[in-house]
Amino acid sequence: MQTIAHWLDGKAFAGTSEATAPVTNPATGAVTGQVALAGVADTRAAIDSAAKAFPAWRDTSLTRRTQILFRFRELLNERREELARLITAEHGKVLSDAIGEVSRGLEVVEFACGIPYLLQGGYTENASTKVDIFSVRQPLGPVAIISPFNFPAMVPMWFFPLAIAAGNTVVLKPSEKDPSASLWLARLWAEAELPAGVFTVLQGDKVAVDELLDNPGVKAVSFVGSTPIARYVYQRGTAAGKRVQALGGAKNHMVVLPDADLDLAADAAVNAGFGSAGERCMAISVVVAVGGSADALVGKIAERAGTIRTGDGTRGADMGPLVTRAHRDRVAGYIAAGESAGATVVLDGRGVEADGAAEGFWLGPTILDHVATDMSVYTDEIFGPVLSVVRVGSYDDALALVNANPYGNGTALFTNDGGAARRFHNEVEVGMVGINVPIPVPMSYYSFGGWKNSLFGDAHAHGADGVRFFTRTKAVTTRWLDPSHGGLNLGFPQNK
């Protein structure tokens, strides 16, 4: 059985801790490997390696950094399916979904290739007599990325391309549930000729996380995960004097007005609710049906969801298993709780006949209608293929429902009324809004992040916020005597 190690100083590193955790294939239930879990000594070794590599990488020219980024981009683009298959084997999402994940991460790499422009400062001549002022953006030092299980490639790529491009060194702590993608990416960086120590992979659990948060060698932390842990990471990291961006959980509502195209809305609800078995922070988990079209809408959603093939992601299924048996059982418990509380089970995924091994962690698409806002299926982030339908009488009721929710990650409105759409995106208290778009994930040159309990800190991921998070601004005021220059060189000037 393979042991999944760390990546330190440009090569695999077994570590000194004897602690490990099993890695399973969710489609078969089989344990496929053991991942090393770093102790404090291993974590400090990773931080020290990143700190040692930082001065030389910080002073590497933007031309050279960009060349390495372009090479990494080309290698990743050529081999995206190879990485996707690795994700499917450990996470369980179907292959097409895994390829989509890699592709969205690749967009951030492409954005980071523009780092020479993104790091441009400002310059003011003669701010005072013969005094000039200019500003520059400089890297922070070693930074940590703590990423979740649901996107083992895309979420780290929200952060590390910009962090590395800006001149920082990175310690990535992936989820112990699907750790192999991070090592694959580390090997790709090495092939792209990234210097050893600039990108480190530290496998681990809370022991490693706490040391990354406490150790003064780490200057900033990017985290994505559940809200309770995001709050913990933010509070502990900032108490240690670090910059922290901690993206938390979500309860994303999709509001469907009576004038909407119900077929389009039903397609969107199914795609956004059951893609990746609902294990997305941007998944639609609540459909808010406004007015008298609710019966027709629920019927159309149920009809479409009933055709989804649940099974092994390598065998052409539409939806794969959940990531672990414990998580599958937890999600099934929410279905039972919703039914007991009075919700109507329109489609029940607990008895799904999956196209895969009997030991897989299967749970089919589930729809609960007549859900009330005090039910656990509404209040909690379930993170599974469970779609709750809440019925309201008016647009104002729907808006109030969304705004009262403690989460503010993503939301969508389906309507053919431009005035209602404009009013909604102006009034709704959510960080990412879709109009007839169910999963409003911004492009890489915009920034990703929610409001309220979906984000701790003031910086979103990638885009302009990402550049600002991984750099700090320095203002320089200068006064010089008139210069004199000498020597001849008729060659065309080159960047090196």
Side-chain angles (χ1 to χ4, degrees):
M1 183 173 294
Q2 67 168 330
T3 298
I4 303 164
H6 316 286
W7 185 268
L8 185 74
D9 292 330
K11 57 184 181 296
F13 171 63
T16 59
S17 171
E18 296 182 356
T20 62
V23 178
T24 58
N25 182 334
T28 65
V31 176
T32 57
Q34 294 287 331
V35 61
L37 298 178
V40 172
D42 295 329
T43 307
R44 290 177 178 172
I47 297 168
D48 290 345
S49 173
K52 182 180 178 181
F54 173 64
W57 182 244
R58 173 196 58 202
D59 293 335
T60 299
S61 71
L62 281 171
T63 298
R64 177 60 179 154
R65 284 190 231 159
T66 305
Q67 289 170 346
I68 293 172
L69 278 163
F70 268 108
R71 188 173 295 117
F72 179 80
R73 185 266 174 199
E74 291 305 302
L75 292 170
L76 182 59
N77 188 48
E78 290 170 3
R79 304 180 194 172
R80 68 175 77 190
E81 186 168 331
E82 179 183 334
L83 177 56
R85 291 187 180 280
L86 195 60
I87 293 168
T88 295
E90 289 187 348
H91 175 272
K93 65 178 64 177
V94 299
L95 186 60
S96 61
D97 196 28
I99 291 173
E101 169 185 346
V102 177
S103 299
R104 291 307 300 264
L106 185 60
E107 292 175 5
V108 183
V109 179
E110 293 168 346
F111 175 68
C113 286
I115 197 65
Y117 174 79
L118 298 170
L119 290 184
Q120 281 184 346
Y123 193 98
T124 300
E125 187 178 39
N126 272 334
S128 186
T129 303
K130 294 188 177 181
V131 174
D132 306 327
I133 301 177
F134 64 91
S135 64
V136 295
R137 286 193 172 276
Q138 295 186 328
L140 306 175
V143 300
I145 299 168
I146 303 169
S147 63
F149 72 83
N150 60 324
F151 286 103
M154 184 186 75
V155 166
M157 282 193 281
W158 281 353
F159 305 107
F160 70 65
L162 283 173
I164 290 172
N168 302 281
T169 53
V170 169
V171 178
L172 169 62
K173 206 300 287 183
S175 169
E176 59 272 29
K177 294 181 177 66
D178 42 14
S180 296
S182 58
L183 287 179
W184 189 96
L185 289 165
R187 294 187 184 97
L188 207 69
W189 273 122
E191 190 171 342
E193 300 181 8
L194 185 72
V198 176
F199 185 77
T200 298
V201 176
L202 181 74
Q203 312 288 4
D205 54 13
K206 187 177 183 297
V207 173
V209 169
D210 285 348
E211 181 61 25
L212 291 172
L213 295 174
D214 296 340
N215 193 297
V218 176
K219 305 305 180 184
V221 177
S222 298
F223 171 86
V224 178
S226 70
T227 288
I229 302 177
R231 183 183 288 109
Y232 171 85
V233 167
Y234 180 75
Q235 291 175 344
R236 186 158 182 162
T238 53
K242 305 181 192 304
R243 287 188 183 185
V244 181
Q245 52 180 171
L247 284 67
K251 198 70 179 181
N252 302 319
H253 298 69
M254 180 177 129
V255 178
V256 183
L257 296 185
D259 70 292
D261 183 321
L262 295 187
D263 289 309
L264 176 65
D267 288 342
V270 171
N271 294 337
F274 302 124
S276 195
E279 292 175 327
R280 294 173 177 163
C281 67
M282 290 297 288
I284 291 296
S285 54
V286 180
V287 172
V288 183
V290 181
S293 60
D295 287 342
L297 177 62
V298 171
K300 289 177 180 292
I301 293 173
E303 178 183 3
R304 288 158 171 77
T307 67
I308 291 175
R309 295 171 299 154
T310 302
D312 191 324
T314 65
R315 293 161 56 168
D318 300 313
M319 191 183 85
L322 295 182
V323 68
T324 64
R325 178 173 285 106
H327 185 54
R328 188 271 316 275
D329 293 346
R330 173 181 174 274
V331 175
Y334 273 108
I335 300 170
E339 186 176 26
S340 297
T344 302
V345 182
V346 177
L347 184 66
D348 194 339
R350 288 172 290 184
V352 67
E353 294 183 7
D355 181 14
E359 296 79 11
F361 311 141
W362 309 113
L363 185 68
T366 298
I367 300 170
L368 300 176
D369 194 6
H370 301 286
V371 170
T373 56
D374 60 349
M375 296 179 183
S376 62
V377 290
Y378 178 80
T379 59
D380 298 356
E381 184 183 28
I382 298 174
F383 224 60
V386 179
L387 194 62
S388 298
V389 179
V390 178
R391 300 183 180 219
V392 298
S394 68
Y395 166 89
D396 289 331
D397 293 336
L399 179 70
L401 180 77
V402 177
N403 286 348
N405 196 274
Y407 295 107
N409 202 49
T411 189
L413 176 74
F414 275 73
T415 183
N416 286 315
D417 185 334
R422 189 179 188 282
R423 182 182 170 191
F424 184 77
H425 75 67
N426 179 58
E427 296 176 336
V428 74
E429 296 171 6
V430 173
M432 292 173 284
V433 181
I435 304 299
N436 298 320
V437 175
I439 306 178
V441 177
M443 295 294 290
S444 60
Y445 40 86
Y446 284 84
S447 296
F448 179 104
W451 289 7
K452 297 186 283 190
N453 284 346
S454 294
L455 177 71
F456 299 90
D458 59 1
H460 291 189
H462 57 71
D465 273 18
V467 177
R468 286 190 290 267
F469 182 77
F470 289 116
T471 58
R472 53 187 173 180
T473 302
K474 180 182 290 182
V476 182
T477 304
T478 64
R479 175 187 287 146
W480 294 100
L481 298 175
D482 291 338
S484 61
H485 298 286
L488 297 176
N489 184 345
L490 303 186
F492 194 83
Q494 300 180 47
N495 294 318
K496 297 182 180 179

